[in-house]
Amino acid sequence: MAQVSLVKYISNYRVSSVLNRDVTSLGKQNLFDTSLETCWNSEQGTPQHILVEFAPRVCISKVHVQFQGGFAGKDTRLIDMDRKEEICPLFPDDNNKMQVLELPVSEQSVARRRIKLQFATSTDFYGRIVVYSLDFCGSVADDAEPTAKNTDSTCASDAVITIV
């Protein structure tokens, strides 16, 4: 099945904190707006997280994330919140580049509705995380209700160089 951006299937999302509670300028809405002028900036302290709910269930193969260098997540884990188990650790670099983090092949066909991207630590001394862009690529689960949205754009990963 073709890899597509799964952002359009997000029904709800939350973040652990927002710097100075400035949700207008630094809030969660900036994670998926595709603008490099805006970002989500967490408050200091660890751990930090992004909780995402999809409708319908999706199969995730890649996570695209762009941090601000110096404020990247370390000890990052992707967690299936319905099963209450870790999907896999992710290893982002501490830089400003868009990074494509691929899930293990065995996890790419598992249908999920709620996931958490958890940052146990940060490259910032105070534990802050700054994310300019976030995307999930994969496919809608086979058991999901078919919708007209399933034919939309392909995943941006085809045009992004994977950082290893």
Side-chain angles (χ1 to χ4, degrees), residues 42-57:
S42 77
E43 191 64 76
Q44 67 182 11
T46 56
Q48 297 291 338
H49 70 262
I50 301 168
L51 178 65
V52 181
E53 297 179 31
F54 295 94
R57 295 182 332 140

Side-chain angles (χ1 to χ4, degrees), residues 42-101:
S42 77
E43 191 64 76
Q44 67 182 11
T46 56
Q48 297 291 338
H49 70 262
I50 301 168
L51 178 65
V52 181
E53 297 179 31
F54 295 94
R57 295 182 332 140
V58 297
C59 299
I60 300 168
S61 60
K62 297 175 184 170
V63 178
H64 295 226
V65 63
Q66 184 172 8
F67 293 102
Q68 178 175 325
F71 296 88
K74 285 175 41 181
D75 302 324
T76 302
R77 292 172 176 74
L78 191 61
I79 300 169
D80 185 319
M81 295 303 292
D82 292 324
R83 292 182 177 95
K84 303 286 191 233
E85 63 186 24
E86 182 176 314
I87 299 167
C88 65
L90 299 173
F91 303 98
D93 291 329
D94 182 16
N95 62 41
N96 299 335
K97 298 177 182 173
M98 176 63 78
Q99 300 176 56
V100 180
L101 308 170

Side-chain angles (χ1 to χ4, degrees), residues 7 10 13-15 17-19 21-42 50 64-67 98 129-135:
V7 170
I10 294 174
Y13 57 101
R14 291 180 233 145
V15 294
S17 65
V18 176
L19 184 65
R21 298 184 184 179
D22 186 0
V23 295
T24 304
S25 301
L26 304 171
K28 66 181 183 176
Q29 72 279 2
N30 299 327
L31 288 168
F32 304 108
D33 68 0
T34 68
S35 171
L36 296 180
E37 300 294 319
T38 62
C39 65
W40 165 62
N41 193 333
S42 77
I50 301 168
H64 295 226
V65 63
Q66 184 172 8
F67 293 102
M98 176 63 78
I129 304 285
V130 178
V131 177
Y132 279 90
S133 180
L134 182 63
D135 194 0

